[in-house]
Amino acid sequence: MRLKKGLMFSAIALAGALVLSGCTDSGATPEAAPVEKAPEFAAGTTMADLAAAGTMTIGTKFDQPLFGLRGPGGDPVGFDVEIGKLIAAKLGIAADKIKWTETVSANREPFIQNGQVDLVVATYTINDTRKEVVSFAGPYYSAGQDLLVLAGNPDSIQGPEDLTDKPVCTVSGSTSEKNIAAYTTNVIATDTYSNCLGPLRSGEVVAVTTDNVILAGIADQNEGEFEVVNNPFTEEPYGIGLALEDTEFRTFINDVLEESYKDGAWVDAWKSTAGKVLNTPEPPAVDRY
């Protein structure tokens, strides 16, 4: 991961700067992706196995507004969830046949390696260390790490350089935890970002750090309490995690993503979820490594 101190990072700039646009009054709700009828795949591939089973298990976050948040019915809702549904639909699997499993930052690789999930779509940053144990399709979105502070920014934090020796909260095992260590060693790590909000409210920490889109969702869900510094200092390409070296499945997912970019399904998924708070970016080019 490339940390950029004081520089604009191009991926986010090209994606429309991802500034908060205020809560749009679109009232949009996700529409079910059209399910492929009787899709055919080469025997022995993951696609063929999942299509034959008629169901699949997808890991996602359950505590991150706009991307993956447990809804009233128990299933998660958000942009990551809609991306998972798009992939399932191309396998002939309807949304109500998906089993959603909560994945936190620290268990995403083990869940994939152990076969507990077929995919992970969970604000999952692609990096070389993770590529050693899992494969990634995508990216399907590019974010950047930022800081969440109390409304009014009482500590006048403008960026990570202002955090020297100051306590900061993030999630254990996340890319954010590794990145913020370049600026402060006073890090409180927990299992979910929601568990960082109490320490921020009480003053035990001066900031919470993770990707800007996650922080924007938290601020939106807690109106008037927090604000995003809006000075991202990393590039965070979100990928879809799958079993290591499952090249056929990875290629299939990348094809689905590229098709969704062209036919508008990706934009529709964004506008009905994260787009209620954030501007619509350009989708990133998938990596055909």
Side-chain angles (χ1 to χ4, degrees):
M1 185 58 52
R2 299 186 297 278
L3 272 67
K4 298 191 175 184
K5 304 180 182 180
L7 297 176
M8 292 181 66
F9 56 102
S10 60
I12 304 303
L14 289 173
L18 289 180
V19 295
L20 287 176
S21 62
C23 294
T24 62
D25 192 22
S26 65
T29 55
E31 294 184 5
V35 178
E36 198 78 14
K37 295 182 179 179
E40 295 184 1
F41 302 103
T45 62
T46 300
M47 297 85 74
D49 292 343
L50 292 174
T55 184
M56 67 186 302
T57 302
I58 301 178
T60 195
K61 298 290 182 69
F62 279 18
D63 72 330
Q64 292 184 357
L66 306 181
F67 276 71
L69 181 70
R70 189 191 295 273
D75 286 338
V77 295
F79 183 60
D80 283 348
V81 174
E82 294 306 306
I83 293 296
K85 290 178 182 178
L86 288 175
I87 296 165
K90 292 298 182 181
L91 292 165
I93 299 171
D96 62 358
K97 299 299 182 183
I98 300 171
K99 178 183 177 183
W100 299 101
T101 295
E102 183 178 18
T103 52
V104 298
S105 294
N107 66 19
R108 290 175 295 199
E109 288 92 48
F111 276 21
I112 295 170
Q113 291 174 297
N114 297 335
Q116 292 172 253
V117 297
D118 300 302
L119 294 175
V120 167
V121 194
T123 59
Y124 198 5
T125 300
I126 301 169
N127 63 38
D128 290 340
T129 299
R130 289 170 176 165
K131 283 184 182 179
E132 294 177 3
V133 293
V134 300
S135 287
F136 284 100
Y140 63 94
Y141 181 72
S142 291
Q145 188 169 340
D146 211 322
L147 301 168
L148 184 77
V149 297
L150 291 174
N153 197 359
D155 293 289
S156 300
I157 295 169
Q158 302 303 314
E161 295 86 356
D162 296 330
L163 295 175
T164 304
D165 297 326
K166 293 181 179 178
V168 179
C169 188
T170 190
V171 162
S172 177
S174 66
T175 305
S176 301
E177 182 184 22
K178 296 179 177 66
N179 290 344
I180 202 62
Y183 299 95
T184 179
T185 58
N186 196 353
V187 177
I188 295 176
T190 183
D191 59 342
T192 64
Y193 293 109
S194 56
N195 285 340
C196 285
L197 301 186
L200 182 56
R201 290 184 179 107
S202 68
E204 184 181 352
V205 300
V206 299
V208 177
T209 186
T210 184
D211 301 347
N212 53 353
V213 292
I214 298 172
L215 299 179
I218 293 172
D220 181 60
Q221 291 287 308
N222 298 273
E223 187 175 358
E225 283 196 84
F226 311 113
E227 63 183 68
V228 182
V229 169
N230 197 25
N231 183 20
F233 54 96
T234 70
E235 295 177 11
E236 307 292 338
Y238 287 175
I240 297 167
L242 63 149
L244 185 65
E245 298 181 353
D246 192 342
T247 304
E248 294 89 351
F249 197 24
R250 181 176 179 274
T251 298
F252 166 79
I253 297 169
N254 279 336
D255 290 344
V256 172
L257 290 175
E258 290 186 335
E259 181 178 347
S260 75
Y261 298 167
K262 294 175 183 176
D263 66 16
W266 186 93
V267 170
D268 289 345
W270 178 267
K271 287 184 175 179
S272 66
T273 55
K276 294 178 180 179
V277 175
L278 300 166
N279 288 339
T280 301
E282 291 293 327
V286 301
D287 183 3
R288 297 279 182 173
Y289 69 84

